[in-house]
Amino acid sequence: QVLLQESGPGLVKPSETLSLTCTVSGGSITTSSYYWSWIRQPPGKGLEWIGYLYNNGNTNYNPSLKSRVTISVDTSKNQFSLRLTSVTAADTAMYYCARAQASYEFWSGYYFWGQGTLVTVSS
Amino acid sequence: EIVLTQSPGTLSLSPGERATLSCRASQSVSSRYLAWYQQKPGQAPRLLIYGTSSRATGIPDRFSGSGSGTDFTLTISRLEPEDFAVYYCQQYGSSPPNSFGQGTKLEIK
């Protein structure tokens, strides 16, 4: 069974950098067809895709966040991470990591999710 | 940029009734790349449907998906008490590479 677990500070000051890590167990993060995503949800609002990592290091980001987002992988720890710079109160949200599988013929959807971690941006 | 618009925003029904939720895309989406999720308060979303009409593992057969092009539908044939939640559609592959609809809240009438 694949398990994902987010970790990181629950409180970040405005203008600083938000950093979160997702630890994956029960499966290898290096499998080429897997897409490792960060998705967030502001309180009381809908889901917003932030970006994903695939094919051992390739990334794709939401254009609305692209200038501030970096997703990276640490294969030795079976982890992937999110960095979001210059945060404001609008970045306050539950942050989820999730896994999908994809090919030209197939998109599995996000079957595996972490439990989420709430990050508040406040001074 | 593809925008997914879900309707209605809120759907009020009673247990035993049939629910029909709509997801409309601003541009054509491949049916291979359309998924639906259910989210209950305090929980991560749960995958219901992928590839427009394939049920994810463990999803009851009262959930079904259909559609093509720009119009997709999630149908719950007979509502159970545990089905009252928020539902999201999601697309993969087009700009942006992933996006979600704004959600439909299914509430008890």
Side-chain angles (χ1 to χ4, degrees):
Chain A
Q1 175 72 344
V2 177
L3 295 175
L4 290 80
Q5 178 68 58
E6 304 89 350
S7 59
L11 181 64
V12 181
K13 290 182 168 53
S15 79
E16 295 190 344
T17 296
L18 179 160
S19 295
L20 297 175
T21 295
C22 182
T23 300
V24 180
S25 58
S28 173
I29 203 167
T30 60
T31 303
S32 61
S33 62
Y34 291 160
Y35 284 55
W36 304 95
S37 278
W38 287 98
I39 295 160
R40 71 179 183 180
Q41 185 172 36
K45 296 189 178 181
L47 300 167
E48 180 181 32
W49 173 72
I50 298 170
Y52 55 56
L53 184 80
Y54 65 106
N55 283 349
N56 270 332
N58 292 318
T59 54
N60 217 328
Y61 301 129
N62 188 325
S64 68
L65 298 169
K66 188 174 184 177
S67 63
R68 299 195 290 132
V69 172
T70 303
I71 297 175
S72 59
V73 63
D74 185 338
T75 55
S76 67
K77 295 181 180 179
N78 223 37
Q79 295 176 335
F80 65 107
S81 298
L82 169 70
R83 289 184 75 249
L84 181 66
T85 62
S86 304
V87 298
T88 70
D91 295 309
T92 293
M94 183 71 77
Y95 284 77
Y96 296 100
C97 56
R99 193 200 88 178
Q101 192 170 3
S103 68
Y104 176 74
E105 297 291 333
F106 175 73
W107 166 251
S108 71
Y110 293 109
Y111 185 81
F112 296 105
W113 293 73
Q115 65 187 25
T117 187
L118 179 62
V119 179
T120 302
V121 178
S122 175
S123 55
Chain B
E1 177 184 340
I2 287 189
V3 176
L4 300 178
T5 302
Q6 294 185 238
S7 62
T10 302
L11 184 58
S12 300
L13 293 170
S14 300
E17 291 193 293
R18 181 185 185 90
T20 303
L21 287 67
S22 173
C23 176
R24 179 161 289 176
S26 58
Q27 302 172 42
S28 184
V29 173
S30 169
S31 59
R32 293 172 293 188
Y33 300 154
L34 195 288
W36 289 92
Y37 300 83
Q38 175 194 69
Q39 189 179 32
K40 296 180 180 178
Q43 296 183 15
R46 177 173 72 144
L47 178 67
L48 298 175
I49 300 285
Y50 64 93
T52 295
S53 59
S54 298
R55 277 187 298 276
T57 301
I59 302 303
D61 61 7
R62 64 179 181 272
F63 291 91
S64 63
S66 62
S68 64
T70 60
D71 289 302
F72 298 88
T73 301
L74 175 70
T75 301
I76 311 171
S77 59
R78 285 181 56 87
L79 285 166
E80 298 287 342
E82 62 267 27
D83 298 336
F84 292 91
V86 180
Y87 292 83
Y88 296 94
C89 59
Q90 182 213 22
Q91 67 86 23
Y92 159 79
S94 297
S95 182
N98 255 196
S99 58
F100 291 91
Q102 84 281 15
T104 290
K105 182 179 182 180
L106 179 57
E107 65 176 23
I108 299 177
K109 188 173 182 180

Short mmCIF file of all heavy atoms in Angstrom, two decimals, chain B residues 10-38:
data_model
loop_
_atom_site.label_atom_id
_atom_site.label_comp_id
_atom_site.label_asym_id
_atom_site.label_seq_id
_atom_site.Cartn_x
_atom_site.Cartn_y
_atom_site.Cartn_z
N THR B 10 -24.54 23.99 -5.91
CA THR B 10 -25.09 23.19 -4.82
C THR B 10 -26.28 22.41 -5.34
O THR B 10 -27.09 22.94 -6.10
CB THR B 10 -25.52 24.08 -3.64
OG1 THR B 10 -24.40 24.83 -3.18
CG2 THR B 10 -26.06 23.23 -2.49
N LEU B 11 -26.35 21.14 -4.93
CA LEU B 11 -27.44 20.26 -5.35
C LEU B 11 -28.07 19.67 -4.08
O LEU B 11 -27.37 19.04 -3.29
CB LEU B 11 -26.90 19.16 -6.25
CG LEU B 11 -27.87 18.17 -6.88
CD1 LEU B 11 -28.91 18.90 -7.72
CD2 LEU B 11 -27.11 17.16 -7.73
N SER B 12 -29.35 19.92 -3.90
CA SER B 12 -30.06 19.45 -2.71
C SER B 12 -30.98 18.29 -3.09
O SER B 12 -31.94 18.49 -3.84
CB SER B 12 -30.87 20.58 -2.09
OG SER B 12 -30.05 21.65 -1.70
N LEU B 13 -30.68 17.12 -2.56
CA LEU B 13 -31.44 15.92 -2.89
C LEU B 13 -31.63 15.09 -1.63
O LEU B 13 -30.97 15.30 -0.60
CB LEU B 13 -30.72 15.09 -3.96
CG LEU B 13 -30.62 15.73 -5.34
CD1 LEU B 13 -29.67 14.91 -6.23
CD2 LEU B 13 -31.99 15.83 -6.00
N SER B 14 -32.49 14.09 -1.74
CA SER B 14 -32.77 13.19 -0.62
C SER B 14 -32.13 11.83 -0.88
O SER B 14 -31.93 11.44 -2.05
CB SER B 14 -34.27 13.01 -0.44
OG SER B 14 -34.89 14.25 -0.18
N PRO B 15 -31.79 11.10 0.19
CA PRO B 15 -31.29 9.73 0.01
C PRO B 15 -32.26 8.92 -0.85
O PRO B 15 -33.49 9.06 -0.74
CB PRO B 15 -31.21 9.19 1.43
CG PRO B 15 -30.98 10.41 2.27
CD PRO B 15 -31.78 11.49 1.61
N GLY B 16 -31.69 8.12 -1.74
CA GLY B 16 -32.50 7.31 -2.65
C GLY B 16 -32.71 7.96 -4.01
O GLY B 16 -33.05 7.27 -4.98
N GLU B 17 -32.52 9.28 -4.08
CA GLU B 17 -32.70 9.99 -5.35
C GLU B 17 -31.45 9.84 -6.22
O GLU B 17 -30.40 9.39 -5.79
CB GLU B 17 -33.01 11.46 -5.11
CG GLU B 17 -34.38 11.71 -4.51
CD GLU B 17 -34.78 13.16 -4.56
OE1 GLU B 17 -34.13 13.98 -3.88
OE2 GLU B 17 -35.76 13.50 -5.28
N ARG B 18 -31.62 10.27 -7.47
CA ARG B 18 -30.53 10.22 -8.46
C ARG B 18 -29.89 11.60 -8.55
O ARG B 18 -30.59 12.62 -8.59
CB ARG B 18 -31.12 9.84 -9.82
CG ARG B 18 -30.14 9.73 -10.96
CD ARG B 18 -30.92 9.46 -12.24
NE ARG B 18 -30.08 9.21 -13.41
CZ ARG B 18 -29.67 8.01 -13.76
NH1 ARG B 18 -29.99 6.94 -13.06
NH2 ARG B 18 -28.93 7.84 -14.84
N ALA B 19 -28.56 11.62 -8.57
CA ALA B 19 -27.83 12.88 -8.66
C ALA B 19 -27.10 12.95 -9.99
O ALA B 19 -26.44 11.98 -10.40
CB ALA B 19 -26.83 13.01 -7.52
N THR B 20 -27.19 14.10 -10.65
CA THR B 20 -26.49 14.32 -11.91
C THR B 20 -25.67 15.59 -11.78
O THR B 20 -26.22 16.68 -11.60
CB THR B 20 -27.48 14.44 -13.08
OG1 THR B 20 -28.28 13.25 -13.14
CG2 THR B 20 -26.73 14.60 -14.39
N LEU B 21 -24.35 15.45 -11.86
CA LEU B 21 -23.43 16.58 -11.71
C LEU B 21 -22.74 16.82 -13.04
O LEU B 21 -22.30 15.87 -13.70
CB LEU B 21 -22.38 16.28 -10.63
CG LEU B 21 -22.82 16.31 -9.16
CD1 LEU B 21 -23.78 15.18 -8.84
CD2 LEU B 21 -21.59 16.24 -8.27
N SER B 22 -22.60 18.08 -13.41
CA SER B 22 -22.06 18.44 -14.70
C SER B 22 -20.69 19.10 -14.59
O SER B 22 -20.42 19.84 -13.64
CB SER B 22 -23.02 19.39 -15.42
OG SER B 22 -22.45 19.89 -16.62
N CYS B 23 -19.85 18.84 -15.57
CA CYS B 23 -18.54 19.47 -15.68
C CYS B 23 -18.36 19.87 -17.13
O CYS B 23 -18.37 19.01 -18.03
CB CYS B 23 -17.44 18.49 -15.25
SG CYS B 23 -15.74 19.08 -15.45
N ARG B 24 -18.24 21.15 -17.37
CA ARG B 24 -18.11 21.67 -18.74
C ARG B 24 -16.74 22.30 -18.91
O ARG B 24 -16.34 23.15 -18.10
CB ARG B 24 -19.22 22.66 -19.05
CG ARG B 24 -19.14 23.27 -20.44
CD ARG B 24 -20.45 23.87 -20.85
NE ARG B 24 -21.45 22.84 -21.11
CZ ARG B 24 -22.72 23.10 -21.41
NH1 ARG B 24 -23.15 24.34 -21.50
NH2 ARG B 24 -23.56 22.11 -21.63
N ALA B 25 -16.03 21.92 -19.97
CA ALA B 25 -14.70 22.45 -20.25
C ALA B 25 -14.77 23.56 -21.30
O ALA B 25 -15.58 23.49 -22.22
CB ALA B 25 -13.79 21.34 -20.72
N SER B 26 -13.90 24.54 -21.14
CA SER B 26 -13.89 25.67 -22.09
C SER B 26 -13.30 25.27 -23.44
O SER B 26 -13.52 25.94 -24.44
CB SER B 26 -13.10 26.84 -21.49
OG SER B 26 -11.78 26.44 -21.18
N GLN B 27 -12.56 24.16 -23.46
CA GLN B 27 -12.05 23.57 -24.71
C GLN B 27 -12.16 22.06 -24.58
O GLN B 27 -12.30 21.55 -23.48
CB GLN B 27 -10.58 23.95 -24.94
CG GLN B 27 -10.27 25.42 -24.99
CD GLN B 27 -8.78 25.67 -25.03
OE1 GLN B 27 -8.02 24.97 -25.72
NE2 GLN B 27 -8.32 26.67 -24.29
N SER B 28 -12.06 21.38 -25.70
CA SER B 28 -12.20 19.92 -25.68
C SER B 28 -11.14 19.25 -24.81
O SER B 28 -9.95 19.62 -24.84
CB SER B 28 -12.11 19.39 -27.10
OG SER B 28 -12.34 18.00 -27.12
N VAL B 29 -11.58 18.28 -24.02
CA VAL B 29 -10.70 17.48 -23.17
C VAL B 29 -10.79 16.03 -23.64
O VAL B 29 -11.90 15.52 -23.89
CB VAL B 29 -11.14 17.58 -21.69
CG1 VAL B 29 -10.35 16.62 -20.81
CG2 VAL B 29 -10.98 19.01 -21.17
N SER B 30 -9.65 15.37 -23.76
CA SER B 30 -9.68 13.95 -24.10
C SER B 30 -10.41 13.17 -23.02
O SER B 30 -10.19 13.38 -21.82
CB SER B 30 -8.26 13.41 -24.24
OG SER B 30 -8.28 11.99 -24.33
N SER B 31 -11.27 12.26 -23.43
CA SER B 31 -12.02 11.47 -22.44
C SER B 31 -11.10 10.59 -21.61
O SER B 31 -11.48 10.14 -20.53
CB SER B 31 -13.09 10.62 -23.15
OG SER B 31 -12.49 9.75 -24.08
N ARG B 32 -9.87 10.35 -22.13
CA ARG B 32 -8.91 9.57 -21.34
C ARG B 32 -8.43 10.33 -20.12
O ARG B 32 -7.92 9.74 -19.17
CB ARG B 32 -7.68 9.23 -22.19
CG ARG B 32 -7.95 8.30 -23.34
CD ARG B 32 -6.76 8.18 -24.24
NE ARG B 32 -6.47 9.43 -24.95
CZ ARG B 32 -5.58 9.55 -25.91
NH1 ARG B 32 -4.86 8.50 -26.28
NH2 ARG B 32 -5.37 10.71 -26.50
N TYR B 33 -8.61 11.66 -20.11
CA TYR B 33 -7.94 12.51 -19.14
C TYR B 33 -8.90 13.27 -18.22
O TYR B 33 -8.53 14.31 -17.70
CB TYR B 33 -7.04 13.51 -19.87
CG TYR B 33 -5.95 12.88 -20.71
CD1 TYR B 33 -5.43 13.56 -21.81
CD2 TYR B 33 -5.43 11.63 -20.42
CE1 TYR B 33 -4.41 13.02 -22.59
CE2 TYR B 33 -4.42 11.07 -21.19
CZ TYR B 33 -3.91 11.77 -22.27
OH TYR B 33 -2.92 11.23 -23.04
N LEU B 34 -10.09 12.76 -18.00
CA LEU B 34 -11.06 13.43 -17.15
C LEU B 34 -11.36 12.54 -15.95
O LEU B 34 -11.69 11.36 -16.08
CB LEU B 34 -12.33 13.72 -17.96
CG LEU B 34 -13.37 14.73 -17.42
CD1 LEU B 34 -14.16 14.20 -16.23
CD2 LEU B 34 -12.72 16.07 -17.06
N ALA B 35 -11.23 13.12 -14.75
CA ALA B 35 -11.44 12.37 -13.50
C ALA B 35 -12.42 13.11 -12.60
O ALA B 35 -12.63 14.32 -12.74
CB ALA B 35 -10.11 12.17 -12.78
N TRP B 36 -12.99 12.37 -11.66
CA TRP B 36 -13.91 12.93 -10.66
C TRP B 36 -13.45 12.50 -9.26
O TRP B 36 -12.98 11.37 -9.06
CB TRP B 36 -15.32 12.40 -10.87
CG TRP B 36 -16.03 12.92 -12.07
CD1 TRP B 36 -16.06 12.37 -13.33
CD2 TRP B 36 -16.86 14.09 -12.14
NE1 TRP B 36 -16.84 13.12 -14.16
CE2 TRP B 36 -17.35 14.19 -13.46
CE3 TRP B 36 -17.24 15.06 -11.22
CZ2 TRP B 36 -18.19 15.21 -13.87
CZ3 TRP B 36 -18.09 16.08 -11.62
CH2 TRP B 36 -18.56 16.15 -12.94
N TYR B 37 -13.64 13.40 -8.31
CA TYR B 37 -13.26 13.17 -6.91
C TYR B 37 -14.42 13.53 -5.99
O TYR B 37 -15.23 14.41 -6.31
CB TYR B 37 -12.05 14.03 -6.52
CG TYR B 37 -10.82 13.77 -7.35
CD1 TYR B 37 -10.67 14.39 -8.58
CD2 TYR B 37 -9.85 12.89 -6.92
CE1 TYR B 37 -9.55 14.13 -9.36
CE2 TYR B 37 -8.72 12.63 -7.68
CZ TYR B 37 -8.59 13.26 -8.90
OH TYR B 37 -7.48 13.01 -9.68
N GLN B 38 -14.43 12.88 -4.85
CA GLN B 38 -15.35 13.19 -3.76
C GLN B 38 -14.53 13.67 -2.57
O GLN B 38 -13.49 13.09 -2.27
CB GLN B 38 -16.12 11.93 -3.35
CG GLN B 38 -17.04 12.07 -2.16
CD GLN B 38 -17.48 10.71 -1.64
OE1 GLN B 38 -16.68 9.96 -1.09
NE2 GLN B 38 -18.76 10.39 -1.81
#
